[in-house]
Amino acid sequence: MSDAEPLIRLEGIAKHYQMGGETIAALNGIDLQIARNDYVAFIGSSGSGKSTMMNILGCLDTPTLGKYFLNGRDVAGMSETDLARTRNEEIGFIFQSFNLLTRATALQNVMQPLIYRGVRPAERARRAREAMARVGLENRLDHLPNQLSGGQRQRVAIARALCSEPSILLADEPTGNLDSATAADIMALFDTLHSEGQTLIVVTHEPDIAAHCQRVVRLADGKVLSDTVNVQRTRFHNRELASV
């Protein structure tokens, strides 16, 4: 890590749930930093805590204990309005199920986050078209989701996340509904976005997906089991750059 303020800093993060008379620790004392332009995979089996980690990093949930600093700000001190603004402006969400509006065109789906930010229509359209071009779908602007393949729908979801120019792309099992060839295409796109300076956080249970990431954080029983630099990442990165 450099001396610069990390984009994300977690200090003693814990998340507890009450189930009957028992306290379940979904996360239990997580200390972690993520720098700008990091490419991080959180990997673990069901029950490891990775979904809870995603919800906390995405400001969708709050920890029971500990502190979460995002861009130097203590998330616990944010109002509901601040949290909503942070989710809209700082974090681009990419989900396994795409979460597209079925009756809206691809371009209209991509523009949605900018509508909530009050961006003028002409500027919304310009930025959405640019985002669609970045994911290689400039010729699919007027298509409805049911007119697109699974891989194309995920690219629309990625363009929607990019449209807000977020600090972080947060992807939850982004290839879970895709075949292996399409999943490889999506991960190649992530590799390219990382090479362009984007910070990416991928939550996955698949080692092949984690292999694309620069850094792999393995969770087990709500704790960090390991946090390692992925030596395969350089080979993946160079291979994808050579194919561009």
Side-chain angles (χ1 to χ4, degrees):
M1 296 287 179
S2 69
D3 293 333
E5 176 70 23
L7 180 59
I8 286 172
R9 178 158 48 96
L10 305 179
E11 298 180 352
I13 291 292
K15 182 65 180 182
H16 300 159
Y17 297 99
Q18 293 296 323
M19 297 186 66
E22 187 178 4
T23 300
I24 304 297
L27 294 176
N28 191 11
I30 303 290
D31 295 303
L32 198 70
Q33 293 187 8
I34 295 175
R36 297 177 194 282
N37 196 215
D38 252 355
Y39 188 5
V40 183
F42 284 94
I43 189 169
S45 59
S46 178
S48 63
K50 64 184 187 298
S51 294
T52 303
M53 175 66 77
M54 185 206 71
N55 289 335
I56 288 175
L57 292 176
C59 298
L60 298 168
D61 200 358
T62 54
T64 306
L65 298 169
K67 289 184 176 294
Y68 170 22
F69 295 92
L70 175 60
N71 261 330
R73 293 187 63 192
D74 185 351
V75 172
M78 294 183 184
S79 66
E80 287 299 322
T81 300
D82 287 339
L83 285 170
R85 184 181 301 113
T86 296
R87 287 191 293 268
N88 184 262
E89 297 180 3
E90 295 273 8
I91 304 164
F93 293 96
I94 302 164
F95 298 103
Q96 177 178 344
S97 56
F98 318 135
N99 288 7
L100 300 179
L101 301 174
T102 57
R103 296 184 180 181
T105 66
L107 187 66
Q108 289 168 337
N109 268 285
V110 173
M111 287 193 291
Q112 282 299 309
L114 301 181
I115 293 173
Y116 300 134
R117 289 174 65 173
V119 176
R120 293 176 182 273
E123 177 66 7
R124 288 201 304 260
R126 183 190 68 78
R127 288 171 61 174
R129 287 173 184 275
E130 285 184 356
M132 287 286 281
R134 285 184 73 185
V135 302
L137 290 181
E138 58 267 43
N139 297 323
R140 297 289 188 272
L141 302 179
D142 297 324
H143 286 60
L144 297 172
N146 65 7
Q147 297 172 316
L148 300 171
S149 68
Q152 288 171 334
R153 278 178 275 171
Q154 190 61 295
R155 284 175 180 267
V156 172
I158 294 168
R160 180 183 57 193
L162 289 170
C163 201
S164 295
E165 299 175 353
S167 299
I168 305 159
L169 281 186
L170 182 56
D172 180 24
E173 300 285 2
T175 62
N177 285 337
L178 305 175
D179 62 71
S180 58
T182 306
D185 287 343
I186 293 299
M187 294 311 298
L189 174 58
F190 280 5
D191 294 348
T192 299
L193 294 173
H194 173 244
S195 72
E196 294 172 352
Q198 182 68 56
T199 305
L200 292 107
I201 299 173
V202 179
V203 176
T204 185
H205 68 278
E206 300 181 68
D208 288 350
I209 298 305
H212 279 259
C213 300
Q214 184 181 56
R215 179 179 166 199
V216 178
V217 178
R218 186 172 296 276
L219 299 176
D221 300 322
K223 297 181 179 180
V224 174
L225 191 64
S226 62
D227 181 354
T228 58
V229 173
N230 189 346
V231 294
Q232 295 184 59
R233 171 59 189 148
T234 300
R235 291 197 293 271
F236 272 105
H237 184 55
N238 291 342
R239 187 184 308 161
E240 296 303 334
L241 283 181
S243 68
V244 172

